[in-house]
Amino acid sequence: MTVAGGTRVAVRQRLLEPDERAPSLPEDTAALPYEALVRGILLEPAEVGAHATVRTATGRVLSGRLEVVEPADLHTFGRPAPALIAVDEAISELLRRLRG
Amino acid sequence: MTSKSTAYAAVMERRAEILERALGIDYVALERGGVRFDHDALMDIGLDLDGIRQVQRDAGVGETPLVELHNVTELVRRGAGPGKGARILVKDEAANPSGSFKDRRASLSANHARRTGYAGMVAATSGNYGAGVASQAARHGLRAIVIQEAFDSRGRGQPEILEKGRKCETLGAEVIQTTVGPELFYLLLRVLEETGYFNASLYTPYSVRGIETLGAEIAEDTRALCGCDPDVVLATHAGGGMVTGTARGLLAVGADHTQVVGVSVDLTGLHMASDGAFNRKSFTTGHSGFSIPFTSWPDRVDVPRNAARPLRYLDRFVLVTQGEVFFATELLARAEGLERGPAGNISLAAAIPLAAELDRDQVLVISETEYTGAGKAPTPQLAFAAEMGVDVRNGTRDDDRPGEVISIPLSLDQLGVTPVDLDRLRSSYLRKAMTMPGAEAPAAQAFVAADLGFGVKDLVALSV
């Protein structure tokens, strides 16, 4: 898919290959590359998964692999855990007793 | 044009020159041989407490309400022994511009960066500090870059970190989100070198002295409300800044009998640099994975010397469980009408059992709240923990297993604290200090003794 220039995207940069990383990492981390994801405005049309250049919020121009088109913040308030509902019930009961 | 190598070792080798340009502090000139450096000179930023207050007032920072938790206090008293149950108050730091006390830390950096001609600030943090830097940069007309350790290798990020990233972007900052690893520091150096921006590290004197107003306000507000100094101040403890700055502020206004207690979430056993363990912790800061190593050796940070020296100021250090903090968060919302957290609620969890040990006429102050919302509230945190395979259930603190079980108590009397042996941390500091050149000199020993918070003669006893 070609993404139009001017679209807000996120690009992934590979900063260090596994063999270039810091010494003394735990085994699981040491086997992985060190990468960063940065959001910005796409400067030229580019394919998802291909090399792309963006301008970030501070005006820096960065390149990386185009990973997300119009990245969104989709974290939520979540579904309450049964253990948390039990806590809320218990606290309500404590407060009922406190207020007589 | 020649571009400098971005290889790990090459960047780390340029560390001293990059940091000097990005901070303007000549740390080498402050070194006094071996383990010793001139901490007092480092802390001299050309502003006294009133000067710091003025900078913060101009930036809309500080002078937050001190709120008495009447209902929590009453619930504690009902379960405590006769005459026991101290008054519990909390400094509502969520009222700061970006929603946490971190604005105090960012404000002096932003003020200094603007006055000395930097175009922007950079901070490496997954915490509220990023939003503080972004907010203060906006107020001072500076650019801001926040580097967050955010994702594991499967691209999953804790909802709390994602929320903090969102907030930084909303406040105009560029956010760089990385995979797991200590190379965060390497990346910080690269970004500082490329941009020429100011290093708004959490561990500079600007950052730590910015917290002194919090300690001073806690003493002054408590005097106004209760007619006495706080007997105990509980400070959520990670890198040492909150403990150091708050204690210095208390001392600056003469509250020298107030006990300062550091509180962290117990995450014993989780490796902080492990990709697999990264998302098995429900707390991104204020936990033992930071506080234990940073207390026993403060100079492991992104500047040559850490302005925060927690052993100089800690009277007591305790751990609480993850489940206890979730209980405290719900209690604060339902009993007091304050939806806050999670950071200050780490201290609230400890305040409940500690207040029960104190007399009724004593006063215990929790040093902070923080803003909450999507990603940060207990529901998304626990939903994410369950997705990561953590067992979330009701039970006692003894059942809590970091990375495996979050055990949430159902009553106040199930809350407790695990003491951290400060002498063990002092001993660890001492062992490390004694390996440094010149450590035997009397002046070096005096510095170490100051860092450890007691006299030189005690050092000898501890070192054998």
Side-chain angles (χ1 to χ4, degrees):
Chain A
M1 182 181 111
T2 304
V3 183
T7 309
R8 191 158 191 266
V9 299
V11 295
R12 183 177 287 267
Q13 294 187 301
R14 183 164 289 204
L15 301 170
L16 296 167
E17 297 295 336
D19 61 355
E20 297 170 331
R21 295 196 62 167
S24 319
L25 292 176
E27 242 174 67
D28 58 350
T29 309
L32 299 162
Y34 186 59
E35 297 184 320
L37 212 62
V38 190
R39 295 173 178 184
I41 304 295
L42 192 60
L43 292 182
E44 306 271 341
E47 298 289 321
V48 172
H51 186 84
T53 303
V54 299
R55 189 185 67 248
T56 69
T58 58
R60 293 200 301 153
V61 174
L62 297 177
S63 295
R65 186 163 56 83
L66 205 172
E67 184 154 303
V68 191
V69 180
E70 294 174 341
D73 298 305
L74 299 176
H75 55 283
T76 69
F77 280 94
R79 190 171 286 280
L84 202 62
I85 295 170
V87 169
D88 294 341
E89 288 289 306
I91 291 172
S92 297
E93 180 53 32
L94 285 175
L95 293 173
R96 260 195 298 279
R97 274 188 260 152
L98 184 70
R99 288 157 190 161
Chain B
M1 190 181 110
T2 55
S3 64
K4 289 179 175 168
S5 167
T6 56
Y8 182 81
V11 172
M12 297 305 276
E13 207 159 281
R14 298 198 296 274
R15 166 189 178 150
E17 58 177 279
I18 295 170
L19 288 178
E20 191 177 342
R21 197 177 118 217
L23 255 178
I25 296 175
D26 184 358
Y27 283 91
V28 175
L30 297 171
E31 291 296 329
R32 293 289 179 269
V35 68
R36 198 164 64 104
F37 75 101
D38 193 338
H39 186 248
D40 291 333
L42 176 66
M43 299 308 267
D44 182 5
I45 56 169
L47 289 171
D48 61 9
L49 186 62
D50 284 335
I52 297 171
R53 285 190 213 257
Q54 192 54 52
V55 168
Q56 294 184 339
R57 194 172 292 132
D58 284 347
V61 172
E63 295 172 345
T64 57
L66 181 71
V67 181
E68 183 156 9
L69 305 183
H70 293 287
N71 293 327
V72 172
T73 300
E74 189 50 38
L75 286 169
V76 169
R77 286 177 176 175
R78 290 195 172 200
K84 295 290 179 187
R87 292 167 75 174
I88 304 173
L89 298 91
V90 65
K91 190 75 168 149
D92 198 14
E93 288 289 288
N96 279 301
S98 83
S100 84
F101 91 103
K102 291 286 174 29
D103 291 327
R104 295 182 192 261
R105 306 188 74 161
S107 62
L108 297 189
S109 287
N111 178 60
H112 179 78
R114 178 176 51 78
R115 292 165 70 103
T116 48
Y118 289 90
M121 302 198 284
V122 188
T125 169
S126 302
N128 289 323
Y129 185 56
V133 167
S135 171
Q136 289 300 301
R139 292 195 68 97
H140 286 268
L142 300 166
R143 296 191 186 113
I145 300 178
V146 176
I147 311 173
Q148 286 189 318
E149 187 184 39
F151 297 116
D152 67 12
S153 57
R154 294 168 67 179
R156 292 174 308 204
Q158 284 179 348
E160 184 180 5
I161 295 180
L162 300 184
E163 162 54 22
K164 288 168 176 173
R166 176 210 66 81
K167 185 147 181 125
C168 291
E169 287 202 327
T170 298
L171 295 167
E174 172 184 329
V175 179
I176 305 174
Q177 295 179 305
T178 76
T179 54
V180 180
E183 293 93 340
L184 192 68
F185 178 50
Y186 152 85
L187 182 55
L188 170 72
L189 292 175
R190 271 184 64 171
V191 173
L192 288 172
E193 189 171 48
E194 183 203 314
T195 60
Y197 290 175
F198 183 73
N199 178 16
S201 157
L202 278 161
Y203 308 105
T204 67
Y206 306 104
S207 172
V208 175
R209 291 214 55 205
I211 311 164
E212 288 178 9
T213 51
L214 174 59
E217 287 173 30
I218 285 173
E220 291 159 353
D221 297 351
T222 306
R223 286 167 186 164
L225 204 70
C226 307
C228 61
D229 283 352
D231 293 281
V232 176
V233 170
L234 293 181
T236 299
H237 180 32
M242 171 60 109
V243 162
T244 302
T246 305
R248 287 173 62 93
L250 286 163
L251 293 170
V253 295
D256 42 14
H257 294 293
T258 300
Q259 204 185 37
V260 175
V261 181
V263 189
S264 303
V265 183
D266 190 353
L267 290 189
T268 306
L270 286 182
H271 198 303
M272 293 307 138
S274 162
D275 182 72
F278 181 66
N279 279 325
R280 297 184 76 89
K281 55 188 196 298
S282 291
F283 293 85
T284 57
T285 184
H287 59 69
S288 58
F290 285 125
S291 61
I292 304 268
F294 278 68
T295 304
S296 57
W297 193 253
D299 296 320
R300 57 177 77 237
V301 292
D302 55 4
V303 285
R305 289 291 196 171
N306 192 342
R309 317 299 295 181
L311 281 175
R312 293 185 180 214
Y313 301 101
L314 275 175
D315 294 301
R316 192 173 171 187
F317 181 9
V318 297
L319 304 181
V320 295
T321 66
Q322 307 165 90
E324 287 171 325
V325 183
F326 288 114
F327 177 87
T329 303
E330 296 300 284
L331 185 67
L332 185 65
R334 283 160 191 266
E336 303 290 350
L338 295 168
E339 188 191 14
R340 302 284 190 276
N345 302 338
I346 295 167
S347 290
L348 175 60
I352 291 166
L354 295 182
E357 291 174 6
L358 299 172
D359 295 335
R360 278 177 178 241
D361 60 356
Q362 291 187 290
V363 178
L364 184 156
V365 179
I366 295 155
S367 68
E368 60 166 327
T369 61
E370 63 165 308
Y371 90 99
T372 189
K376 292 180 80 171
T379 44
Q381 297 264 24
L382 292 171
F384 185 73
E387 267 175 54
M388 295 299 111
V390 175
D391 179 11
V392 179
R393 54 171 138 115
N394 296 115
T396 67
R397 66 195 320 272
D398 295 333
D399 301 325
D400 207 273
R401 296 275 177 278
E404 291 168 35
V405 180
I406 293 176
S407 175
I408 312 178
L410 287 170
S411 63
L412 279 77
D413 59 9
Q414 289 180 327
L415 273 64
V417 294
T418 308
V420 178
D421 183 356
L422 283 174
D423 274 349
R424 191 175 61 81
L425 300 182
R426 289 183 179 116
S427 184
S428 165
Y429 176 106
L430 193 57
R431 276 198 304 277
K432 169 96 176 164
M434 288 305 157
T435 65
M436 298 185 70
E440 310 77 28
Q445 297 218 349
F447 176 81
V448 169
D451 246 7
L452 298 184
F454 52 59
V456 178
K457 64 179 167 35
D458 303 316
L459 271 179
V460 182
L462 200 67
S463 60
V464 287

